[in-house]
């Protein structure tokens, strides 16, 4: 009897197992690294809260762990983070959304094909460049219009951070709007809607969950942004909502301590883990919310 | 080719007079010299195999094809004596007069009420009681009021396919058009929902001019007064529905309706 289908060569099975093992190892490295980071963060945070009660961490209005009179209230740092992020979103949200509307509803295919990649280059500029841009260009410019504004302030890095996250909002929102079925636009236009009315009356509401997801992701990015605020916002933890004053964000504080010569194991050292944990939780919640919204959006039109 | 004319015993007012209509998508010649007259307050069906240009034809009637990049049209369409493609005309006003319902039910992801009120609101109607009246009247005309009056605030996406399509009809009626264009309105619906829409058309033609594109010949036979048969961008024959389906003049029409192709 002749065999038409050849038998499997004996070595192949071991080869395939080996390949599978290597691939699994590569995947496992990133998962375990993440778990390791969260583990260290958690461990040091628990250590921190052995010395500082959670209540004073959350309610004390001063943050002075590097001074002799130590206070561990996260509020000034959270306030600085909130202020710069809010300014960034105030800049990025309208500009990003309008850019997305333009690209999705007005621009032709060729223009969209050119503008979108160019916008995404904005996202590729190193943030340290944005930081110096804020400190050396935007701040002096703003000082001409706002007399008495400090050289380090929340406004300038907030605005620059907003510019940085515009592409994120416009690109993700545009994806969401572009995915709105064409027949909804036709329905609106058949009812006598103009292009503008179609865009804001039908397309934007229909893509709402996708657009909201892009906003949340942008907020999360703004909260986690480090370099711009470390360079241009100053390093003075101050409980204020006045954008002309220097502030310190959570991220900038972590930079400040990490770059200094704080000995391992001291309370100053542990503070950065507690702050890091707060930051991690905030961005995690935002990212999860954003993810959930995007799932809901793709359920509707997927 | 010679313009198709309707042999008819009744005196009818013309809604549309189409003369030598040609249209292109880019370089694709979609309509080739279509001429026909569509009577007022009757159901006119356009049948033909996929890609014959029947959808293109009715999409020319409310200028919704203007929105497609690369679309071009030549020839004349007069609506009650007025040239629809007159550059001085506002296409938005055209669409308010000549409403359209699409193949796939496409309610907005809003409430039932907001779907119907969408058009009137665009026209600037803000008065709540007037809007309420328009919504109720439109839903009644579309034979949907009884089924949805208790849940006007609910999402339109929760309705069944057939209900959604009737909602789309109601939404179109709400802006007060004279003409209703329906582009294969039942192709995504089951037979029961289809029967309801057809029944509705019988009722609507008392007050509206209806143009129905369908690839379902039985539907054209059941629901229309006049039928045009299109093939490869040309209007092959246009006549009373009864005549098209019993005694067509053109051999290609006969071949199509007897199922020899298409």
């Amino acid at each position: 009897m002749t065999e038409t289908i050849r038998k499997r060569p004996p070595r192949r099975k071991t080869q395939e197992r080996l390949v599978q093992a290597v691939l699994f190892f590569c995947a496992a490295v990133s998962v375990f690294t993440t778990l390791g980071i969260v583990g260290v963060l958690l461990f040091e945070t628990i250590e921190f809260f052995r010395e500082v009660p959670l209540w004073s961490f959350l309610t004390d209005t001063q943050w002075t762990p590097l001074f002799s009179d130590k206070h561990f209230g996260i509020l000034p740092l959270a306030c600085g983070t909130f202020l710069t992020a809010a300014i960034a979103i105030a800049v990025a949200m309208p500009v990003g959304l309008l850019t997305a509307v333009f690209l999705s509803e007005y621009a032709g295919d060729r223009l969209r094909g050119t503008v979108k990649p160019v916008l995404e280059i904005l996202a590729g500029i190193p943030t340290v460049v944005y930081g110096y841009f804020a400190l050396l260009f935007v701040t002096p410019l703003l000082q001409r219009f706002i007399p008495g504004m400090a050289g380090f302030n929340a406004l300038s890095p907030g605005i620059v951070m907003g510019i940085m996250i515009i592409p994120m909002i416009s690109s993700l929102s545009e994806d969401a709007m572009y995915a709105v079925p064409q027949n909804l636009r036709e329905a609106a236009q058949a009812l006598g809607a103009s292009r503008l009315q179609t865009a804001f009356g039908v397309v934007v509401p229909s893509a709402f969950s996708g657009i909201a997801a892009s906003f949340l992701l942008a907020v999360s990015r703004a909260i986690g942004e480090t370099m711009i605020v470390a360079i241009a916002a100053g390093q003075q933890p101050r409980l204020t909502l006045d954008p002309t004053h220097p502030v310190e964000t959570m991220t900038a504080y972590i930079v400040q301590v990490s770059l200094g010569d704080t000995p391992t194991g001291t309370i100053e050292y542990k503070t950065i883990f507690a702050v890091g944990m707060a930051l991690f939780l905030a961005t995690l919640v935002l990212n999860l919310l954003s993810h959930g919204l995007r799932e809901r959006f793709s359920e509707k039109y997927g | 080719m010679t313009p198709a004319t309707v042999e008819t015993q009744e005196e009818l007012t013309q809604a549309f007079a189409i003369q030598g209509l040609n249209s292109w998508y880019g370089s694709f010649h979609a309509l080739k010299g279509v001429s026909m007259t569509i009577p007022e307050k009757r159901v006119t069906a356009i049948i033909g195999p996929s890609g014959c240009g029947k959808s293109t034809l009715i999409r020319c009637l409310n200028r919704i094809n203007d929105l497609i990049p690369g679309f071009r049209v030549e020839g004349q369409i007069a609506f009650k004596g007025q040239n629809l493609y007159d550059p001085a005309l506002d296409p938005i006003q055209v669409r308010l007069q000549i409403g359209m319902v699409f193949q796939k039910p496409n309610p907005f992801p809003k409430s039932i009420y907001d779907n119907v009120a969408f058009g009137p609101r665009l026209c600037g109607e803000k008065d709540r009681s007037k809007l309420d009246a328009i919504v109720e009247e439109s839903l009644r005309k579309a034979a949907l009021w009884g089924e949805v009056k208790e849940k006007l605030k609910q999402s339109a996406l929760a309705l069944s396919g057939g209900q959604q399509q009737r909602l789309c009809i109601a939404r179109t009626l709400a802006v007060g058009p004279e003409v209703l264009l329906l582009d294969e309105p039942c192709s995504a619906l089951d037979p029961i929902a289809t029967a309801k829409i057809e029944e509705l058309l019988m009722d609507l033609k008392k007050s509206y001019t209806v143009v129905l594109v369908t690839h379902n010949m039985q539907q054209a036979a059941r629901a229309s007064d006049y039928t045009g048969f299109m093939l490869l961008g040309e209007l092959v024959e246009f006549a009373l529905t009864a005549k098209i389906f019993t005694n067509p003049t053109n051999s290609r029409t006969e071949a199509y309706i007897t199922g020899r192709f298409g």
Side-chain angles (χ1 to χ4, degrees):
Chain A
M1 203 171 87
T2 54
E3 288 179 351
T4 48
I5 301 177
R6 274 183 295 159
K7 288 203 175 103
R8 180 165 55 188
R11 274 214 334 263
R12 187 176 298 164
K13 205 168 179 181
T14 19
Q15 260 179 11
E16 281 184 2
R17 279 207 183 136
L18 192 70
V19 168
Q20 200 184 345
V22 169
L23 293 179
F24 175 78
F25 177 75
C26 293
V29 165
S30 67
V31 173
F32 283 116
T33 314
T34 311
L35 287 179
I37 291 173
V38 175
V40 171
L41 207 53
L42 203 62
F43 177 76
E44 296 285 353
T45 305
I46 291 168
E47 287 291 302
F48 173 79
F49 283 115
R50 285 213 176 120
E51 293 176 50
V52 178
L54 181 63
W55 182 246
S56 70
F57 180 70
L58 292 178
T59 56
D60 197 328
T61 56
Q62 286 187 62
W63 179 261
T64 54
L66 306 180
F67 297 169
S68 50
D69 175 25
K70 290 189 191 314
H71 285 275
F72 298 99
I74 188 109
L75 283 177
L77 294 183
C79 181
T81 297
F82 170 78
L83 185 60
T84 50
I87 294 167
I89 292 300
V91 170
M93 205 148 89
V95 179
L97 183 62
L98 293 177
T99 308
V101 168
F102 170 75
L103 287 177
S104 157
E105 305 303 307
Y106 287 87
D109 281 339
R110 202 195 287 168
L111 188 60
R112 181 184 16 254
T114 329
V115 172
K116 245 191 132 180
V118 169
L119 265 176
E120 277 158 17
I121 290 174
L122 268 185
I125 297 176
T127 53
V128 66
V129 175
Y130 279 110
Y132 272 104
F133 177 68
L135 183 64
L136 302 177
F137 180 77
V138 178
T139 299
L141 190 71
L142 290 171
Q143 277 171 329
R144 277 202 228 161
F145 301 100
I146 310 171
M149 193 167 93
F152 293 105
N153 57 71
L155 187 59
S156 164
I159 292 171
V160 171
M161 214 151 71
I163 294 170
M164 185 191 71
I165 56 181
I166 286 170
M168 189 174 199
I169 292 185
S170 64
S171 182
L172 290 175
S173 299
E174 198 264 344
D175 288 344
M177 286 188 228
Y178 200 63
V180 171
Q182 188 59 26
N183 64 29
L184 286 188
R185 292 186 184 88
E186 286 190 341
Q189 263 147 348
L191 291 170
S194 66
R195 261 172 132 177
L196 189 71
Q197 289 165 327
T198 306
F200 287 97
V202 173
V203 179
V204 170
S206 303
F208 178 76
S209 46
I211 293 170
S214 82
F215 285 171
L216 288 180
L217 219 55
V219 173
S220 156
R221 178 85 169 79
I223 288 176
E225 171 49 37
T226 308
M227 216 29 128
I228 299 174
V229 283
I231 291 175
Q235 299 190 328
Q236 297 177 27
R238 182 194 299 254
L239 190 57
T240 175
L241 287 176
D242 181 348
T244 62
H245 283 110
V247 293
E248 182 163 48
T249 64
M250 300 201 256
T251 52
Y253 172 75
I254 295 174
V255 172
Q256 185 189 3
V257 174
S258 307
L259 295 182
D261 45 8
T262 315
T264 314
T266 59
I267 183 71
E268 292 86 341
Y269 171 81
K270 285 173 196 158
T271 54
I272 63 174
F273 290 94
V275 173
M277 191 64 171
L279 205 54
F280 171 69
L281 287 178
T283 50
L284 181 71
V285 167
L286 285 169
N287 289 357
L288 287 178
L289 276 176
S290 166
H291 186 73
L293 279 171
R294 258 179 303 161
E295 294 270 286
R296 237 180 59 189
F297 179 73
S298 57
E299 234 169 63
K300 211 152 65 181
Y301 300 115
Chain B
M1 60 180 290
T2 52
T5 46
V6 182
E7 303 160 30
T8 158
Q9 289 85 358
E10 40 182 358
E11 275 301 313
L12 289 168
T13 325
Q14 286 179 3
F16 293 96
I18 303 167
Q19 263 305 323
L21 190 71
N22 281 283
S23 78
W24 293 263
Y25 295 104
S27 61
F28 176 69
H29 197 171
L31 290 178
K32 297 169 185 164
V34 173
S35 299
M36 67 192 292
T37 56
I38 294 175
E40 203 173 35
K41 295 189 180 163
R42 290 289 179 277
V43 178
T44 302
I46 315 280
I47 60 169
S50 298
C52 69
K54 54 192 192 301
S55 287
T56 305
L57 176 61
I58 75 160
R59 290 171 62 94
C60 287
L61 298 183
N62 71 341
R63 295 190 54 176
I64 196 86
N65 259 357
D66 290 14
L67 309 168
I68 295 178
F71 181 78
R72 198 155 56 81
V73 68
E74 274 173 19
Q76 273 229 334
I77 302 178
F79 174 62
K80 297 166 91 176
Q82 199 177 10
N83 178 12
L84 277 186
Y85 281 85
D86 182 345
L89 227 59
D90 179 2
I92 286 175
Q93 292 304 317
V94 171
R95 292 176 203 136
L96 290 177
Q97 291 291 304
I98 304 165
M100 185 163 208
V101 174
F102 297 84
Q103 182 168 2
K104 203 174 153 234
N106 55 358
F108 302 126
K110 299 170 187 272
S111 72
I112 294 169
Y113 185 97
D114 289 341
N115 262 277
V116 183
F118 184 85
R121 278 180 178 147
L122 283 183
C123 297
E125 185 58 74
K126 289 195 183 76
D127 188 282
R128 186 74 199 190
S129 58
K130 276 189 194 156
L131 280 176
D132 286 350
I134 293 173
V135 169
E136 176 172 347
E137 192 198 338
S138 309
L139 286 169
R140 278 189 195 281
K141 281 186 190 162
L144 191 60
W145 176 252
E147 291 159 64
V148 301
K149 63 180 173 195
E150 304 296 332
K151 47 179 183 182
L152 293 175
K153 294 285 157 227
Q154 281 182 26
S155 167
L157 299 178
L159 296 174
S160 74
Q163 289 174 324
Q164 287 188 2
Q165 197 60 301
R166 277 178 285 146
L167 177 65
C168 291
I169 293 174
R171 182 174 70 181
T172 305
L173 297 180
V175 293
E178 292 181 32
V179 181
L180 209 50
L181 307 173
L182 301 110
D183 188 359
E184 299 187 29
C186 302
S187 62
L189 304 182
D190 67 45
I192 293 169
T194 300
K196 277 197 180 150
I197 302 258
E198 286 176 15
E199 200 180 310
L200 177 60
L201 293 184
M202 291 291 128
D203 210 37
L204 287 174
K205 75 173 184 185
K206 290 174 197 148
S207 4
Y208 299 90
T209 302
V210 178
V211 185
L212 170 71
V213 160
T214 176
H215 54 214
N216 178 337
M217 281 181 280
Q218 285 83 0
Q219 179 168 62
R222 283 190 302 258
S224 72
D225 303 300
Y226 296 91
T227 297
F229 168 59
M230 290 187 68
L231 190 62
L232 300 169
E234 290 174 24
L235 180 68
V236 174
E237 189 166 356
F238 182 54
L240 277 167
T241 299
K243 181 165 184 308
I244 286 265
F245 283 97
T246 53
N247 185 21
T249 314
N250 192 294
S251 58
R252 288 184 293 173
T253 315
E254 193 185 356
Y256 183 70
I257 59 161
T258 52
R260 261 180 272 154
F261 72 92

